[in-house]
Amino acid sequence: LLRTYIVHEERAFLDFAAATYGSVTEAFAGDDVKALGRAYKALEKEKDLLKSIRRKQTLCLRRVPADTAIEKSAWFHLANNSCMSMNYNLRRITEVCKEHVENNFRPLPESCRETFLPIRDSIINALAQAQILVENGDVKAIISLRKECDLIKDTISRECHGIYDHLRNGATGNLTVAYVYLNTLQESQEMMSGLRKLLRATSKLRSNDPVARVGAA
């Protein structure tokens, strides 16, 4: 019953994260300050909801047999912490984008939009896949998605280095928006790290199979 409850709440959070990430990045590219404001309020509510869920799940964990609770405790807390971390990443993206758009700075250059669009889509797709995997517990698919998250992180790193080179070359025309874009990329990268940890915790929580333990490392 506890595992079913955890899976339900993790799926709900991942669905929220995917929808929010999509709307926030779209609002940043489109200079939509109202959408950014709504997203920030929703993220604050989600933070409080995650805290409430964690308290309830912790109470439930105390009713689980002691040997199982001891074995699963670390992964239980890792899953909760990963969700909180991803929510924080989303809040940081939204907060910085909202401040930028409110002050009527330069919009995101078209060249950056074209580069970022496939990155954004791959992140949303990873979050959508994760919703399915936290429920069915397919260990091989979880391992595959965690590797995909690493590839997304590598792609983001290359884009970040491109911005670093752009700034080092003395480009000042889009300096402010470049920093906002860089923050979005860095927090997106950290969000993928959080998703990898959540998937690992899910695999550990769902299975007692030694092969699953090795594969999810």
Side-chain angles (χ1 to χ4, degrees):
L1 287 174
L2 176 57
R3 186 169 66 184
T4 300
Y5 178 43
I6 290 172
V7 166
H8 178 269
E9 296 302 339
E10 286 178 351
R11 283 205 63 171
F13 171 74
L14 289 168
D15 180 59
F16 169 82
T20 303
Y21 185 77
S23 63
V24 166
T25 50
E26 190 68 32
F28 171 45
D31 288 334
D32 189 344
V33 69
K34 290 184 178 180
L36 289 168
R38 289 193 297 268
Y40 191 80
K41 289 179 181 178
L43 285 163
E44 286 294 310
K45 290 181 179 179
E46 187 69 15
K47 178 185 69 173
D48 294 336
L49 178 61
L50 288 173
K51 289 181 178 178
S52 175
I53 291 170
R54 179 170 185 157
R55 286 194 294 268
K56 293 176 183 177
Q57 291 180 354
T58 301
L59 290 173
C60 293
L61 186 65
R62 294 176 182 175
R63 295 181 176 272
V64 172
D67 56 342
T68 302
I70 291 170
E71 179 186 356
K72 302 297 185 181
S73 178
W75 311 117
F76 168 82
H77 290 293
L78 178 61
N80 277 282
N81 290 341
S82 298
C83 290
M84 288 295 293
S85 175
M86 292 168 67
N87 183 267
Y88 173 78
N89 297 139
L90 286 166
R91 282 161 48 214
R92 279 293 300 154
I93 291 172
T94 307
E95 182 180 22
V96 174
C97 289
K98 180 173 178 291
E99 182 180 353
H100 172 78
V101 174
E102 280 179 336
N103 286 283
N104 297 312
F105 290 114
R106 292 172 183 255
L108 185 67
E110 188 61 33
S111 59
C112 292
R113 297 187 194 192
E114 293 176 358
T115 305
F116 181 63
L117 183 60
I119 295 175
R120 184 195 68 175
D121 290 346
S122 64
I123 290 173
I124 293 174
N125 182 58
L127 291 168
Q129 289 184 60
Q131 290 181 54
I132 299 171
L133 296 183
V134 296
E135 182 167 11
N136 66 29
D138 185 333
V139 175
K140 291 183 179 179
I142 287 174
I143 294 170
S144 177
L145 183 53
R146 293 184 76 233
K147 290 179 180 178
E148 185 177 332
C149 289
D150 281 331
L151 294 176
I152 293 172
K153 290 172 63 180
D154 291 341
T155 301
I156 293 174
S157 290
R158 289 192 292 270
E159 179 67 3
C160 287
H161 284 297
I163 297 174
Y164 297 148
D165 292 339
H166 179 72
L167 295 174
R168 278 195 292 265
N169 290 334
T172 59
N174 293 308
L175 185 62
T176 304
V177 72
Y179 281 123
V180 178
Y181 180 44
L182 183 60
N183 173 78
T184 300
L185 290 171
Q186 291 171 333
E187 294 294 345
S188 298
Q189 190 174 42
E190 288 304 308
M191 192 164 68
M192 287 297 94
S193 294
L195 181 59
R196 289 186 78 257
K197 292 176 182 177
L198 176 60
L199 289 168
R200 184 187 184 198
T202 295
S203 180
K204 298 279 190 175
L205 281 169
R206 289 188 62 89
S207 177
N208 292 318
D209 182 0
V211 175
R213 291 195 184 104
V214 174

